[in-house]
Amino acid sequence: MRLEPITWDRLAELLADRLAGLEPADGGAWLRVAFDGAPAARPGDLAERVGEALRVRGRPSLVVGAEGFLRPASLRLEHGRRDAESYYGGWLDTGALWREVFGPLDPGGSGRVLPDLWDPATDRATRSPYVQLPAGGVLLLHGPLLLRHWFPFDLTVHVLLSPAALRRRTPETDHWTLSAFERYESETDPAASADVLVRADDPRHPAWRG
């Protein structure tokens, strides 16, 4: 796997430039981009940087975190608070993401996106207002295990950590999730399937290909 050293700022600029020349695969009016990675890899940080780089270019964007679309605790914790199988396949409310995020960005859609639905800390609805993403805008969705779903992304970015770095940077209280990421690597191989790969074992010195 040949990767080139880069800075986060430079990476965001290059990704924004790439998006500026990219057309939606479905012929619609909005681009949809995945920033996939374990929480320890902080894919949301890169999504925010790209969003800012797009803003400077006059391109509207909306950063959405998948953690705002988790299922209620009664469902996602049905088999216990540390069930890796549930974390892998049952925590994310994919139906809500299709309905509130991807559906409005389909060809002919309204562009009216709900940025989050559920607060996992309070286990209550967030009651956030809808956001109007103008035609030509870019959805920047970040979160873990995104590439195992059939979401209609136009560009996919995977922020990779080696198993050792993932264990080191994941809080010990969350080590029970590590087996889910091992399974994800085995079944989905996000490093190979993503359009852009970013290695972030040392967060000060990322490297990439894409």
Side-chain angles (χ1 to χ4, degrees):
M1 187 188 307
R2 185 182 180 89
L3 302 174
E4 298 180 4
I6 197 169
T7 67
W8 291 111
D9 286 341
R10 178 60 177 157
L11 177 59
E13 294 291 329
L14 290 175
L15 290 175
D17 286 342
R18 181 166 177 175
L19 292 171
L22 191 63
E23 295 293 331
D26 62 4
W30 300 275
L31 287 171
R32 296 142 303 184
V33 184
F35 291 84
D36 175 63
R42 303 184 67 86
D45 290 356
L46 181 56
E48 293 285 356
R49 286 176 184 267
V50 173
E52 177 60 21
L54 288 169
R55 186 193 67 78
V56 171
R57 289 162 172 76
R59 188 79 178 267
S61 66
L62 177 64
V63 178
V64 173
E67 70 273 9
F69 288 87
L70 297 184
R71 302 168 78 200
S74 60
L75 297 176
R76 70 178 188 273
L77 305 180
E78 182 180 5
H79 300 289
R81 293 184 175 275
R82 297 189 173 192
D83 186 80
E85 181 74 19
S86 294
Y87 180 78
Y88 184 77
W91 275 39
L92 188 64
D93 190 343
T94 55
L97 272 172
W98 278 106
R99 181 179 68 252
E100 304 291 0
V101 178
F102 290 106
L105 304 182
D106 282 342
S110 67
R112 192 167 172 264
V113 175
L114 189 65
D116 52 58
L117 178 65
W118 200 259
D119 184 337
T122 63
D123 200 37
R124 294 171 182 258
T126 58
R127 302 189 184 279
S128 295
Y130 283 86
V131 175
Q132 186 68 46
L133 187 60
V138 183
L139 169 71
L140 307 170
L141 177 67
H142 63 85
L145 312 174
L146 292 179
L147 305 188
R148 63 177 297 268
H149 305 287
W150 293 98
F151 293 139
F153 294 117
D154 297 295
L155 185 75
T156 55
V157 180
H158 178 62
V159 185
L160 172 69
L161 295 178
S162 68
L166 178 60
R167 175 171 288 275
R168 183 174 65 251
R169 292 173 54 186
T170 298
E172 189 170 350
T173 54
D174 293 332
H175 276 189
W176 62 272
T177 65
L178 297 179
S179 62
F181 290 107
E182 291 175 7
R183 180 179 172 185
Y184 184 51
E185 293 288 336
S186 173
E187 294 184 356
T188 305
D189 194 6
S193 60
D195 299 309
V196 176
L197 177 65
V198 182
R199 186 150 198 161
D201 287 1
D202 183 344
R204 299 166 300 176
H205 303 292
W208 83 306
R209 66 148 173 80

